[in-house]
Structures are given as C-alpha cells and as structure tokens.
Amino acid sequence: MQQKSKLFLQALKYSIPHLGKCMQKQHLNHCNFADHYYNRIKLKKYHLTKCLQSKPTISELARNIPTRSFSSKDFLPIKQENEKPLSENMDAFEKVRTKLETQPQEEYEIINAEVKHGGFVYYQEGCCLVRSKDEEADNDNYEVLFNLEELKLDQPFIDCIRVAPDEKYVAAKIRTEDSEASTCIVVKLSDQPVMEASFPNVSSFEWVKDEEEEDVLFYTFQRNLRCHDVYRATFGDNKRNERFYTEKDPSYFVFLYLTKDSRFLTINIMNKTTSEVWLIDGLSPWDPPVLIQKRIHGVLYYVEHRDDELYILTNVGEPTEFKLMRTAADTPAIMNWDLFFTMKRNTKVVDLDMFKDHCVLFLKHSNLLYVNVIGLADDSVRSLKLPPWACGFIMDTNSDPKNCPFQLCSPIRPPKYYTYKFAEGKLFEETGHEDPITKTSRVLRLEAKSKDGKSVPMTIFHKTDSEDLQKKPLLVHVYGAYGMDLKMNFRPERRVLVDDGWILAYCHVRGGGELGLQWHADGRLTKKLNGLADLEACIKTLHGQGFSQPSLTTLTAFSAGGVLVGALCNSNPELLRAVTLEAPFLDVLNTMMDTTLPLTLEELEEWGNPSSDEKHKNYIKRYCPYQNIKPQHYPSIHITAYENDERVPLKGIVNYTEKLKEAITEHAKDTGEGYQAPNVVLDIQPGGNHVIEDSHKKITAQIKFLYEELGLDSTSIFENLKKYLKF
C-alpha cells in the first residue's frame, strides 16, 4: 500500500493547499492524493539519454519559461545611501547556472512509474507508453503501446498505470508539468495496440473482472479539485460507461482503492475528520456496493482484506488515535469490530501493508521510525527500531508474500533499501558503498518547550566538523497543518547546503501529524496559535543552544506552512534574516470567506468557518498573515507563486505582497534615509500546478536569494549542486 494511512493523516491532499510534487518521481512524481495508494507502482531509473530527443529536461523547461519577478527595490521611493550591493559572486553564479543548465545530460536520471503484470513490465519510455518482457525491462527491447504526443499535451508524463486482470487492456493516467488535470487513456493490447478510450479529469481508477470475464474499469471524475462521482466502463463489443455513485456533500472527496488481494474495490469517501467506505465485490462488480459503516462525525477508517476478514485502521474509541481492528467481511458494521492492535501514545501511523500471514505497520514514535510486524496466525508482534538517521519511509511495491521491502531516507541522504524477510524474522539492509554523508554530518533529535509547556520535537542536521555553530547559517523548515508530517524526503539541495556549512532544522509543530492525531487536533481551528508558539519556541531554543543567531537565520515553507511563517514575520521578525515561501497560503480570512473557491468548504474543519462563526472569524484575524501586516522591520522575503494555482489563488499572494510593500515603505519613511529596507521578491511562474518541487530554476533562485541576503560566498554552492541535481 502506498502510504494508505494518509487517507486519515493527510486528510485529502486534493483538498489541501500544500504539496504538489512529492520528490518521487522518486516518490511517485506529482502525487495526486489517490496515487499514494497505488501499491503496484514501482520506481524505475532511466538514463535521460534514452529520451532526450523527445522530452526536454526540467532545467531546459525552466530556462525557457518566462517569469515575472518583483522586488521591494522596485517600489520603495527612498534613497538607499547604504544600499547593499549585489553579491560580488553574481557573475560566478550566472556562469555556473548557465553551465549547469546546458551541460551534457548523460549522468542525469529521471524516474518513471512502472507496473509489473504477468510476465510484462509497463512503463514510460520517452513520450511513449511501452511494455517489455520482465527480464528485458532494463534494456531497449520494448513494444510501444501508445504515443503520448497524440494527446496534444505540453510535455506529458504518465502519473500511474493499471493493467486489466487478463491483460487485454492497460489504463494510464497522463498529466503535464503545468496542470493538475489528468487524462486517463485505455489502450487495447492487441497485435496492433490502439487507444480504446480517453477520459478527462480522472482522479483514481482500478480494474475489476466481472462474472462474464469482462474487464470493468472503475474511475472517479474530478472537477475544480473536487471528486464526487464514480463511474464504471467496459470496452470492446459491449461498451458501457455509467455513473453509479455521486457524493452529495461538497466537503467530502471520493477515491478508489483495490485491496491488496484484489478481492474488494473500496469506495472511500472522506473529509478532514470523517470517512465512510463502501465495498464493491471483486467477483460481482455490477452488484450494488455494500456499506461498511455509515459516516460518524470524527471517525476515520480505512479497510484492507485477508481471508474473508476486514482489517480496519481507525481512530474510533479512546484514545482517539489510530488502532487496528478486524471483523468478518460479511458483518462489517462498527458494532462487530474487534480490537486487534493498539498503537502507543505519540505514535504516527505512516503506512500499513498486508501479507498472507503478516500485517506490517510503519510507524513514527517520538519522532523515530519503527516497523511492527504482526503475525496473523498467532497475533505475535515484533517491533523493529530503525536507524536513527532515518526520517521517512518510501513504500516499495511488493508482490512477494515472503518479503516486505521498503526504503528509508532523510533530507540529506538518498533512499536506502531494506527488506524484512518473514521466514528469517530479520531485517536486511542493502549492502554496498556507504554514503559518505554518514561520516561527515550529524543528525540530532532535540525538543523545545512551548509557552504552554508542550515539548516540540526538532530534527537538526549539520556537518560533523563544524566549529562555532553559532556563526553558521541556519535554515528552518516548518509546515504545521492538516495533520501532515513535515516533509523529510531527500532533497539534493538540502544536502549541498549542509556540505557548505549550513545547519538545517525541521520543526515538528502542532497542527502537523508527527505525534499522532491529537498533535493535529491541538493545532487546528481555535488552536492554530499553538503552532505559531511552537515555531517561535523552536527558533529561540536553537539560538539558545548555540545553533546560529538571528542575523544568520532563515525560514522556509510552502503552501499552508506559509500561515505560520507569515504570522511569525508579523509577530517576531527579529528572529529571522530571510524567508523563502512557495505557493504560500497567506490570506486565510478572505480565502475562507469565499465559498466560490474550490477548496473552501473542504477546509472549514482545518481553519474554521469565519462566514457563520464570529468566534472563528475573530480567531483567524489574530494570526492571519495578511490581516496582521504592520509598519515594522521585516525579514527579506522571496515568494514563488504559480499563475493558475487553484489551491492557493494568486490573488491572495499578490494582495499580501502589495500590502507588505506598503508597510515596508511606511516604516522606511518613519525610520529615515539610512534605513536598509528588506528585499521582497515575488516570482510568478506560469502554469496551474501548486508546487513544482524539483524545478531547477526555482531551487537556484531560492538558494541565490538566501546567500545574497546573508552575505555569503556562493562560489562553491552551485558547483556542488551539479553533483546532486538529477532530473
């Protein structure tokens, strides 16, 4: 299962203004929410030279896309006598960036979605959907099934692949870098493969075979970021396409998941705090779906199946954290659920995978990673503590009932493979060359005390041989919303920063999900200010323990993380020197009062309803970044926004920037001509994606901004980036 527990803990990525790309084309590139649960997708590396002629590199795309940037220097009508000159290394930066973007690409890699079915492997090669014999998957012997260029899309890529049970058809979801909209194509696998059908705006989809051995494609239709309709279709001589389910409540989202044993197709309906699941019998897909348990406000549950039993991951009962229950498949209602396994307090359920004789839980407890292996025959439990450097799981595909493979990663360390072998009862680590970062860097787990005494975990990275850490630059990361963990996946630019002497600090504040469901509850609605207090406490604790100082401290966040960053810039700007934000959510009040926006109704349980609840309205006014801008000194701010972003509308970001520059101008007038105003840059990128995480242009622009604001020598940083940035 690809991160299935995020059905609860992430609470609908489609309805959250945050992540666009998971660094997966290492983590399943551009992960639409439902794609996390596609347990048959595998990652495959291909040398870029195979498809360079038909698909430009990301850096080439970024270089050729026009952008609009605005700086506070453009709008401050004040003479800057002591204006800071451009970095002396500006020319060096430009030369290195040009070299980086135009150098030969032989060593660069891309990641494609891949699925194995029968004796074949299906994947994307260049601009084509192809298949090859399993044993030949790593060479150039493949059969072209479909040319993506026929869809007339701009730089399309395959997001996920599904093969029909008897391999008569293959379905693939296709997207572009510039939009979140997806098209699902169905290809008939005959002697001459042909496209049988094309469905626009498809979110999730699965194949099931009916009683007459006919392949049935179930899919959900998404409109304006909302997914409420479920369809089923057949092809060939007996074509059918019908809608058979529509969710009436606009605050809920619908997606499909096929249980690992393919016995049931589940229709999952949920909002931020409540879920409901219906079962489609894999043996009788035309029969009406069966309801497991009618939605109960505040109760989340997800379903797997094994040997005529349902295994249910749910937060029902006390404490209101996740626990594993089971019941007979023919008596699925909640009164029949029996407690099977309970998690410890302060435990985050990251994932769950079901095997023939075992259930494997991937857990985060007190900010450390664990794997619990439950023997289903004897209810035995084996808990494995994973290496302390590990910060995140990457779930691997698995069709082998004897082994459970997965990967571990950290922000500065690439993924490393591990396999738990059930027969031996042992965890095996991938052997080979040890990453030198293990000897040259340190990872620390620290805690800060918030105003109310709550302990807030932090994860710190820095070079082992660093001397006088107080004089080193610090980059703080924060998110703190929707029960989402702060992203701790490998990012090559983060590694380069550590190599160059930076300290990285990840602050796991309330509102996120690192310590379980209650950690999220303590940072949402009228408890949002807890997250702000936690962030402030983390930065002060870092400074107090000798990690950097305010003049060398920077802060970064994306999407909903922008709420806490913007609020801190208003309340305690003296803690920071510079900030970088991507697609930030900065105008909470006006956004949540505009019910015409696609996500407002789905977001009410996270931020509150200021239109009908005066308490919520007044509370949002206390922390909303836009509402609390005032004439004062601010840290320098670099904002990356996307022109057609539907999750965080550009209007709110532009309004924030305009109001901020007015406040800076007013403060500068009152302070006098000798005042050094902060630099504010708004970089508007074209396209409709929410976040393009591996954009080469964005990465280099942000790093350049931080180095110039802190007055650091950037000569080596961009040279080192070449070693790690692989698109």
Side-chain angles (χ1 to χ4, degrees), residues 266-301:
T266 64
I267 303 174
N268 301 270
I269 305 148
M270 66 180 300
N271 64 14
K272 297 295 185 295
T273 61
T274 305
S275 66
E276 178 178 284
V277 181
W278 295 72
L279 295 180
I280 298 287
D281 192 333
L283 302 177
S284 306
W286 298 101
D287 289 352
V290 175
L291 176 64
I292 291 182
Q293 172 58 48
K294 184 178 180 180
R295 64 194 73 172
I296 302 172
H297 181 72
V299 173
L300 295 162
Y301 69 98

Side-chain angles (χ1 to χ4, degrees), residues 354-371:
M354 188 67 68
F355 297 82
K356 182 178 182 297
D357 298 316
H358 298 85
C359 174
V360 180
L361 290 166
F362 299 87
L363 307 172
K364 182 183 291 185
H365 176 67
S366 296
N367 213 27
L368 294 173
L369 301 187
Y370 292 79
V371 167

Side-chain angles (χ1 to χ4, degrees), residues 243 263 319 338 481 498:
R243 181 178 62 181
R263 181 64 177 82
D338 293 323
V498 170

Side-chain angles (χ1 to χ4, degrees), residues 64-354:
N64 293 323
I65 291 176
T67 62
R68 299 200 301 274
S69 297
F70 304 94
S71 167
S72 64
K73 295 173 183 177
D74 298 328
F75 55 70
L76 278 178
I78 300 170
K79 182 179 179 181
Q80 305 278 348
E81 291 184 354
N82 299 318
E83 185 175 0
K84 183 176 63 178
L86 290 176
S87 168
E88 295 178 358
N89 298 301
M90 180 64 181
D91 290 341
F93 164 79
E94 295 296 345
K95 291 177 182 178
V96 172
R97 184 175 69 175
T98 300
K99 181 179 179 181
L100 182 58
E101 293 180 343
T102 59
Q103 67 177 337
Q105 304 292 313
E106 290 81 12
E107 297 181 356
Y108 282 22
E109 294 175 331
I110 61 172
I111 307 296
N112 283 330
E114 175 190 287
V115 60
K116 291 186 178 181
H117 193 282
F120 291 93
V121 181
Y122 299 79
Y123 53 92
Q124 180 176 352
E125 182 75 8
C127 285
C128 296
L129 170 63
V130 304
R131 72 172 175 179
S132 64
K133 289 289 187 180
D134 194 352
E135 64 273 11
E136 300 174 349
D138 288 330
N139 60 37
D140 292 332
N141 295 322
Y142 51 79
E143 175 188 10
V144 175
L145 303 179
F146 181 74
N147 188 339
L148 306 187
E149 293 178 340
E150 294 182 23
L151 297 176
K152 307 299 183 184
L153 298 175
D154 182 22
Q155 302 300 329
F157 64 87
I158 296 176
D159 210 14
C160 61
I161 301 169
R162 288 288 182 273
V163 184
D166 60 0
E167 288 189 284
K168 290 181 180 178
Y169 300 96
V170 60
K173 189 168 72 170
I174 298 170
R175 300 189 51 207
T176 70
E177 298 288 352
D178 294 332
S179 174
E180 294 196 38
S182 300
T183 297
C184 178
I185 61 161
V186 178
V187 177
K188 185 176 182 180
L189 300 176
S190 55
D191 292 338
Q192 296 292 328
V194 295
M195 187 172 75
E196 184 80 10
S198 174
F199 303 113
N201 301 313
V202 168
S203 173
S204 57
F205 59 105
E206 297 283 359
W207 288 101
V208 177
K209 183 186 289 293
D210 67 12
E211 304 92 324
E212 299 179 359
E213 299 296 307
E214 188 169 34
D215 295 316
V216 184
L217 180 70
F218 287 79
Y219 65 94
T220 55
F221 178 78
Q222 180 174 309
R223 181 188 294 111
N224 295 328
L225 301 181
R226 297 174 180 172
C227 195
H228 295 150
D229 298 321
V230 184
Y231 290 77
R232 54 190 169 195
T234 56
F235 309 95
D237 296 333
N238 185 26
K239 288 186 178 181
R240 297 174 62 179
N241 188 20
E242 63 182 30
R243 181 178 62 181
F244 74 96
Y245 180 88
T246 297
E247 173 57 40
K248 302 297 185 183
D249 191 328
S251 70
Y252 282 76
F253 189 92
V254 181
F255 63 90
L256 306 175
Y257 172 75
L258 190 65
T259 58
K260 189 171 182 181
D261 61 5
S262 300
R263 181 64 177 82
F264 290 103
L265 176 70
T266 64
I267 303 174
N268 301 270
I269 305 148
M270 66 180 300
N271 64 14
K272 297 295 185 295
T273 61
T274 305
S275 66
E276 178 178 284
V277 181
W278 295 72
L279 295 180
I280 298 287
D281 192 333
L283 302 177
S284 306
W286 298 101
D287 289 352
V290 175
L291 176 64
I292 291 182
Q293 172 58 48
K294 184 178 180 180
R295 64 194 73 172
I296 302 172
H297 181 72
V299 173
L300 295 162
Y301 69 98
Y302 169 80
V303 177
E304 253 295 357
H305 176 264
R306 170 191 172 271
D307 289 349
D308 295 326
E309 286 187 315
L310 300 177
Y311 287 78
I312 302 167
L313 190 64
T314 180
N315 66 334
V316 70
E318 294 294 335
T320 56
E321 297 290 346
F322 279 114
K323 49 197 74 75
L324 191 60
M325 298 189 172
R326 63 181 172 186
T327 184
D330 57 358
T331 57
I334 194 170
M335 71 279 297
N336 299 311
W337 297 359
D338 293 323
L339 183 63
F340 179 61
F341 184 79
T342 303
M343 318 298 166
K344 296 180 181 178
R345 285 189 178 274
N346 296 331
T347 297
K348 163 72 175 279
V349 182
V350 178
D351 205 351
L352 175 152
D353 204 352
M354 188 67 68

Side-chain angles (χ1 to χ4, degrees), residues 13 18-23 25 29-31 58-59 61-62 65 67 157 175-180 487 491 493 558-559 582-583 640-645 684-700 702 727:
K13 173 180 185 301
H18 79 293
L19 304 170
K21 256 186 176 173
C22 303
M23 167 83 179
K25 288 181 185 177
N29 191 6
H30 237 87
C31 52
I58 296 296
S59 59
L61 292 175
I65 291 176
T67 62
F157 64 87
R175 300 189 51 207
T176 70
E177 298 288 352
D178 294 332
S179 174
E180 294 196 38
K487 291 185 66 180
R491 295 297 310 171
E493 66 272 20
F558 58 89
S559 195
E582 184 172 7
T640 305
Y642 300 94
E643 201 162 31
N644 298 313
D645 190 339
I684 302 176
Q685 300 278 341
N689 273 326
H690 180 49
V691 173
I692 305 178
E693 188 168 278
D694 58 5
S695 164
H696 183 149
K697 185 172 184 179
K698 180 205 71 179
I699 291 170
T700 55
Q702 290 177 345
F727 296 118

Side-chain angles (χ1 to χ4, degrees), residues 3 6 10 13 18-24 27-28 30-31 36 364 391-392 409-412 461 477-480 484-491 494 505-508 514 558 582 691-694 698:
Q3 300 174 336
K6 292 187 180 179
Q10 292 183 348
K13 173 180 185 301
H18 79 293
L19 304 170
K21 256 186 176 173
C22 303
M23 167 83 179
Q24 261 202 232
H27 311 300
L28 280 189
H30 237 87
C31 52
H36 284 289
K364 182 183 291 185
C391 300
C409 66
S410 85
I412 65 171
F461 301 90
H477 299 72
V478 71
Y479 188 70
M484 290 281 299
D485 287 12
L486 185 58
K487 291 185 66 180
M488 301 287 284
N489 55 297
F490 173 64
R491 295 297 310 171
R494 304 305 186 213
Y506 290 76
C507 303
H508 310 291
E514 287 87 346
F558 58 89
E582 184 172 7
V691 173
I692 305 178
E693 188 168 278
D694 58 5
K698 180 205 71 179

